[in-house]
Amino acid sequence: MVTSAVGREGYAMGIDELDGRLLELLAGEPRIGVLEVSRRLGIARGTAQARLDRLRGSGVIRGFGPEVDAAAIGYPVTAFATLEIRQGKGSEVRGHLQEVPEVLELHTITGEGDMLCRLVARSNADLQRVIDRVVGYEGIVRASTAIVMENPVPLRIIPLVRQAAGLSEG
């Protein structure tokens, strides 16, 4: 068992092989019950519940909600915008961007810009409306946008889980 625990924002959590198998099972079947998890993994129900509670409490598992495809609900255009912001306006800009529903993610970054956000829109023309709303805030100095053409490797985590847990590929 990996014993380095910190969790949440402190990181250094680490997972062991059983955690990896549990996470892989939950990723494939997110609605599975704890009793069935324990049966499939060959562990006691209490062990399964304790592991699940620890992974949730430490922030490894962040939720059990449905994965929603933006394109399937009418937002097939994805773009990434790099934003340059005025010094001292970071928290205000973050607040502004949290109010824009088409902003799916926001990261503070190093390099050419200060923030990187993933945007979605109903069409290329609608993307212009979204960008105008994003950059129409006084704290944003400049934006550079790249439209996604295709997504050959969608967001995935299980290969990383398998590696972190020391599970063999396959």
Side-chain angles (χ1 to χ4, degrees):
M1 173 185 229
V2 174
T3 57
S4 61
V6 172
R8 292 283 177 205
E9 299 302 317
Y11 300 114
M13 177 65 198
I15 60 172
D16 64 11
E17 186 254 346
L18 180 56
D19 290 336
R21 290 176 39 224
L22 173 62
L23 291 167
E24 190 170 21
L25 181 57
L26 288 172
E29 299 179 55
R31 296 173 55 119
I32 193 170
V34 176
L35 187 59
E36 184 62 14
V37 166
S38 68
R39 189 186 70 72
R40 298 241 197 116
L41 296 179
I43 58 176
R45 184 197 178 287
T47 300
Q49 186 66 60
R51 289 294 183 115
L52 185 59
D53 291 346
R54 183 178 59 80
L55 291 168
R56 288 175 63 194
S58 65
V60 173
I61 295 176
R62 297 189 325 200
F64 293 96
E67 276 187 48
V68 178
D69 184 332
I73 62 169
Y75 293 84
V77 176
T78 299
F80 289 90
T82 303
L83 307 176
E84 198 176 304
I85 63 169
R86 292 191 198 292
Q87 285 194 328
K89 296 289 186 179
S91 64
E92 293 172 29
V93 170
R94 284 191 292 273
H96 162 67
L97 295 172
Q98 286 175 344
E99 297 298 317
V100 180
E102 295 89 353
V103 174
L104 301 185
E105 289 183 274
L106 176 64
H107 303 270
T108 56
I109 60 171
T110 62
E112 291 298 310
D114 301 303
M115 295 180 176
L116 177 70
C117 54
R118 180 165 55 131
L119 312 168
V120 293
R122 294 185 180 277
S123 65
N124 285 347
D126 187 48
L127 179 60
Q128 184 62 60
R129 176 194 60 80
V130 173
I131 292 168
D132 288 347
R133 182 167 178 198
V134 165
V135 301
Y137 187 76
E138 64 142 48
I140 298 173
V141 177
R142 184 173 296 112
S144 174
T145 305
I147 297 174
V148 173
M149 301 300 289
E150 69 174 316
N151 187 6
V153 181
L155 179 64
R156 62 200 176 119
I157 196 73
I158 293 304
L160 189 62
V161 166
R162 292 187 63 74
Q163 178 178 295
L167 295 169
S168 63
E169 291 300 316

